Amino acid sequence: MKIMKTLTKIDIKQLPINFCKCGMTGWCLEVIFTSTESLLRHDWRLMGQTSLLMFPIYGLGALLGPIGGIIDQWVSPGQRLSARPADLAIRHGFLYMVLIFLAEYIAGTFLRSTGICPWDYTGRSTNIDGLIRLDFAPLWFFTGLLFEQITKKRWR
């Protein structure tokens, strides 16, 4: 029953705004990340790239905070405020990392089936089906926490 109360607390009006925040943040992070990869190729122009298709995939990050809240209620009902912030960050970071991997795999499978998947990790040592890279785990851990922070409701 507490999970249902948590679900009703999700601000549906804020969800499209948070979707856009996460979509834009994801795009920016991807451009920064791909431009720094160019350093490894000794390309000092630092050209970064992304795809328009990535916006809705990154936008799904708006759901991470509400899912984290639901998991908190399930794992320790009524004790969320008593948990240490570092413990919550670790719990949420790992949860978000797994959810991002799952979303990336599902979205990649769908996009590949239509012939428009903008990424292919085939040939990388830690790839799974060319759709996800396990060595990106720390990046997704912190990206999930970043999405949680930028979508948090702020009290003024």
Side-chain angles (χ1 to χ4, degrees):
M1 193 57 154
K2 289 193 183 251
I3 291 175
M4 292 307 294
K5 287 182 182 178
T6 302
L7 283 174
T8 59
K9 289 181 185 177
I10 297 172
D11 189 353
I12 300 298
K13 290 180 183 176
Q14 192 66 28
L15 205 53
I17 294 166
N18 288 341
F19 184 88
C20 290
K21 285 180 182 180
C22 290
M24 294 297 291
T25 301
W27 265 349
C28 291
L29 289 173
E30 186 166 342
V31 169
I32 291 167
F33 182 75
T34 57
S35 69
T36 58
E37 277 187 333
S38 70
L39 283 175
L40 298 175
R41 296 186 307 270
H42 303 290
D43 180 357
W44 303 107
R45 296 174 298 153
L46 300 177
M47 299 295 290
Q49 64 182 13
T50 190
S51 166
L52 292 176
L53 297 171
M54 297 307 295
F55 183 83
I57 295 169
Y58 287 124
L60 291 173
L63 300 174
L64 293 176
I67 291 171
I70 291 167
I71 296 299
D72 288 342
Q73 286 295 319
W74 179 65
V75 170
S76 35
Q79 297 178 8
R80 186 181 196 293
L81 296 177
S82 64
R84 292 187 345 221
D87 293 338
L88 284 176
I90 291 169
R91 179 193 303 166
H92 289 185
F94 278 110
L95 172 65
Y96 301 158
M97 177 187 70
V98 169
L99 292 173
I100 290 169
F101 273 136
L102 182 63
E104 183 180 26
Y105 191 87
I106 291 169
T109 300
F110 171 74
L111 293 172
R112 182 183 284 169
S113 74
T114 60
I116 58 171
C117 188
W119 69 92
D120 184 2
Y121 301 131
T122 303
R124 303 293 181 123
S125 63
T126 61
N127 87 86
I128 296 178
D129 297 332
L131 296 172
I132 61 173
R133 286 180 55 180
L134 298 178
D135 59 325
F136 284 0
L139 298 170
W140 294 143
F141 181 99
F142 290 109
T143 299
L145 292 175
L146 175 63
F147 286 167
E148 178 186 62
Q149 288 302 307
I150 65 172
T151 59
K152 264 187 182 175
K153 192 170 189 173
R154 305 281 193 261
W155 300 102
R156 293 180 190 185

